[in-house]
Amino acid sequence: MLAVRNYTIGMAGHIDHGKTSLTRALTGIDTDRLKEEKERNISIELGFAPLKIDEELHASIIDVPGHERFIRQMIAGVAGIDLVILVIAADEGVMPQTKEHVEILSFLGIEKGIIAISKIDRVDEEMIELVKEDIRDNLKGTVFEKSPIVFVDSLSMKGIDELKQLIKEQLKHQEMRDARGPFRLPIDQVFTIQGQGTVVRGTIYEGTVTKGDTLQVLPKGIPVKVRQIQVHHEQVEEARAGQRAALNLGGISKHEIVRGDVLVSSSHFLVTDTIDIAVRFVNDLSAPIKQRVPVKLHIGTTEVMGKIVFFDRNELLQEEKEIVCQIRLDHPIACKRGDRFILRRPTPMETIGGGWIIDPKGRKYRFGEETVKMLLAKKEGTPVERITSILKEKALLSFHDLLKYSSLDEEELKTLLEGEQKETIFQLPSGEYALIENLETIKRLTGEKLAQYHEQYPMRLGFNKAELTHLLLDLYPKRLIEFVIEKLVETGFLKKVEQYIHLSTFTPHFPEKWKRRMESALTSIENDEIEVQPFDHYVKSAGIPDSYKEDFKHFLLQSNLAVLLAENLVVSMKAIEKAAALLKRNTGVEFTVKDAKDVLGLTRKYLIPLLELFDALKLTKRVEDKRIWL
């Protein structure tokens, strides 16, 4: 089975340049779902549509609003995307909103893009060339400077196949979002469904969510339970990083959640009202940014007012390079190091800059150069932080690869790995390194998967090791998973019987719901001794569901409660032992088939398979037409 790679594509651009029409041409879905949007022919809210590129590549297209008044929704839409399609109409070219969208995309660290020149049927070849030249001039020095260009018309479907192929090529080498870490979903929609309760929707930034999981709504810290999961209106058991998902939540009402809240699975994410940041400002600020001026922070789907605090100046008018400073927020947010954001001026409304969080738990610092130096050092990250971050991403690395990714010198890396990092990093017998927290995560996931398996299949001996390993392959390398499983067997956390793995606390047993019926069926088999009916007869007579038939049979055989006498004839071990004892008492050292028939009174249908079974169990040995007791 192929592993599906999930991505999110943002459709950005100026109002009325054809983003929604292009989304419809690609997916067959109209994302303008609101009556007001239909009437005004503009997108107000985020629109979503699934795009299945091939069996391995699945994407969600987000059609983000293009009108200046709806920039808030636009920022929320592009915050979690992997690829941008910048739509520019052939009959208008680059517009002010196009430039602002490009600036926002740049600040949010979006690196992959495609330029789609739309409405090409409205202009001639000469005009298309002029528009193309205008685009290249306007996008010089931006993230879209070298992006591929495709010419499309959503009504005639010209260029749509070429665009799909280009999307496939762009995403083919794009790294997927991290499904290994703690789950995080910034909420962009909250609603209720009659009879279902509260539903939230958003793009999963990282991690995996499974039906039945207990999560937290931050920053309020409200615990919730995941009742159902949908991905593009289809019920699923699990959703992971890169997918658009709707989660039906128990334990909370619609009024307790707002757009901008974040669903998480762990305390790994901080709730804070002071963040240290690295920020770059736009080149053409309309007015200076003064010390402690109010700004609006957009991060994920959250927008919150705060004050900007400089430590090396009292105002800023022009600054090309990235600077370090701080935002003190009016309300707490949930975030972590590396999260991208946009800064907007509340009056007049305009984008002034963007960047990333270097420390989500900032404190009050003195004004001056020392604080700037400290923030710059924090921005670069300590060697320990860099190694930890690399191993979180790569999971398992040799010493050589750690050197390559960390940019540390050999002696410094050795010192770290042999010193304080022994508390957090483990060296495998292969010489490779892994985070101890990743080993613990594999142990936890293995335990959870086995517990679920034992609950679902209580009569089975355990989970096939190869299948169990395969379940975790999307998250960790095979060598690391197998090492952890073997260690868990050595330490007694797991037990291994042939190719099967089970929790050491688990013993195969009848499912509680069908226990009495299965015990009744076993009693009937025992009462019939050797002359049993076909196994299906006992299953049906006891009222055992057919879906349990094979597991019930294998349980009896594996538990040595019964043996297979012939195809579909299951005989209790008690009956076998009784027949063997009776025959041995009434024969000498050896006996014939006739002797056995005289003693046991069985027809050939049962007698011959029984005598062959005695041979297989090493009770007897056949010599010509006789059998000798062993």
Side-chain angles (χ1 to χ4, degrees), residues 458-478:
M459 291 182 286
R460 294 186 187 179
L461 186 58
F463 211 157
N464 186 296
K465 183 189 171 188
E467 292 177 19
L468 177 60
T469 302
H470 183 75
L471 283 179
L472 302 175
L473 277 181
D474 282 354
L475 305 177
Y476 296 101
K478 186 178 179 182

Side-chain angles (χ1 to χ4, degrees), residues 72-266:
R72 173 175 69 91
Q73 286 93 329
M74 185 267 168
I75 292 169
V78 300
I81 67 171
D82 304 293
L83 170 70
V84 174
I85 299 173
L86 183 65
V87 184
I88 301 173
D91 57 349
E92 287 193 334
V94 176
M95 301 293 282
Q97 205 65 48
T98 314
K99 292 179 180 178
E100 185 168 20
H101 280 205
V102 169
E103 212 156 43
I104 288 169
L105 292 165
S106 171
F107 289 142
L108 290 172
I110 308 298
E111 295 176 351
K112 281 193 178 289
I114 297 170
I115 299 166
I117 299 179
S118 63
K119 305 184 182 183
I120 58 170
D121 281 0
R122 295 189 181 186
V123 298
D124 56 27
E125 282 294 325
E126 188 178 348
M127 185 62 180
I128 287 175
E129 285 304 311
L130 287 172
V131 169
K132 186 176 176 182
E133 192 177 323
D134 176 53
I135 288 169
R136 287 300 186 202
D137 288 343
N138 276 282
L139 298 183
K140 197 170 184 180
T142 73
V143 290
F144 286 95
E145 182 176 8
K146 296 180 181 178
S147 294
I149 292 177
V150 62
F151 301 93
V152 298
D153 191 277
S154 301
L155 298 179
S156 66
M157 298 297 283
K158 285 181 185 173
I160 298 302
D161 287 340
E162 289 87 342
L163 177 55
K164 285 182 179 178
Q165 185 58 34
L166 207 49
I167 290 169
K168 183 175 180 177
E169 288 170 10
Q170 291 282 303
L171 291 178
K172 192 164 56 178
H173 304 296
Q174 174 75 6
E175 284 191 23
M176 290 194 299
R177 292 180 176 271
D178 189 3
R180 294 174 302 191
F183 171 77
R184 176 164 59 147
L185 180 144
I187 296 166
D188 56 46
Q189 291 174 341
V190 186
F191 51 95
T192 56
I193 296 176
Q194 190 170 2
Q196 299 292 322
T198 305
V199 178
V200 300
R201 189 182 281 144
T203 299
I204 302 174
Y205 274 25
E206 55 196 314
T208 302
V209 63
T210 304
K211 184 178 173 181
D213 281 354
T214 298
L215 305 175
Q216 269 197 323
V217 179
L218 297 181
K220 301 176 186 77
I222 303 171
V224 294
K225 185 145 186 164
V226 181
R227 288 173 172 165
Q228 291 180 330
I229 304 171
Q230 281 193 2
V231 174
H232 291 303
H233 306 292
E234 287 188 10
Q235 293 277 354
V236 295
E237 292 296 310
E238 179 184 275
R240 56 180 49 216
Q243 290 184 307
R244 286 286 306 170
L247 275 59
N248 177 218
L249 303 179
I252 197 167
S253 72
K254 176 190 173 184
H255 308 293
E256 294 177 277
I257 308 180
V258 296
R259 178 184 189 148
D261 285 346
V262 184
L263 265 181
V264 301
S265 63
S266 100

Side-chain angles (χ1 to χ4, degrees), residues 367-405:
F367 184 91
E369 204 57 41
E370 284 302 309
T371 294
V372 173
K373 285 180 182 176
M374 179 272 294
L375 291 175
L376 286 170
K378 193 187 285 189
K379 174 187 164 188
E380 295 304 317
T382 66
V384 169
E385 288 171 334
R386 271 151 53 197
I387 293 169
T388 303
S389 177
I390 290 161
L391 284 173
K392 273 186 180 176
E393 180 185 350
K394 307 291 183 182
L396 189 64
L397 288 175
S398 66
F399 184 85
H400 173 77
D401 285 333
L402 269 176
L403 276 176
K404 181 174 71 175
Y405 289 116

Side-chain angles (χ1 to χ4, degrees), residues 15-32:
I15 183 176
D16 202 31
H17 274 207
K19 298 186 301 299
T20 303
S21 298
L22 185 53
T23 301
R24 185 169 57 244
L26 284 167
T27 66
I29 293 171
D30 187 354
T31 56
D32 271 350

Side-chain angles (χ1 to χ4, degrees), residues 14 48 66-67 97 139 154 205 223 422 445 473 492 507 564 607:
H14 191 74
F48 308 97
H67 194 281
Q97 205 65 48
L139 298 183
S154 301
Y205 274 25
K422 277 194 169 181
L445 291 174
L473 277 181
T507 303
L564 200 60
L607 183 63

Side-chain angles (χ1 to χ4, degrees), residues 534-598:
F535 185 73
D536 295 10
H537 164 80
Y538 299 102
V539 171
K540 191 173 181 180
S541 297
I544 298 167
D546 200 55
S547 58
Y548 281 95
K549 184 178 74 175
E550 287 306 312
D551 275 5
F552 179 39
K553 183 198 287 186
H554 289 138
F555 173 81
L556 295 179
L557 301 179
Q558 286 172 355
S559 303
N560 215 28
L561 292 170
V563 289
L564 200 60
L565 185 66
E567 188 178 353
N568 209 29
L569 292 180
V570 175
V571 178
S572 75
M573 187 55 75
K574 288 179 181 176
I576 298 296
E577 291 168 351
K578 182 179 176 182
L582 178 63
L583 186 58
K584 195 168 188 177
R585 276 198 312 271
N586 290 280
T587 59
V589 176
E590 59 184 31
F591 62 91
T592 63
V593 171
K594 184 179 182 306
D595 295 334
K597 179 174 172 50
D598 291 340

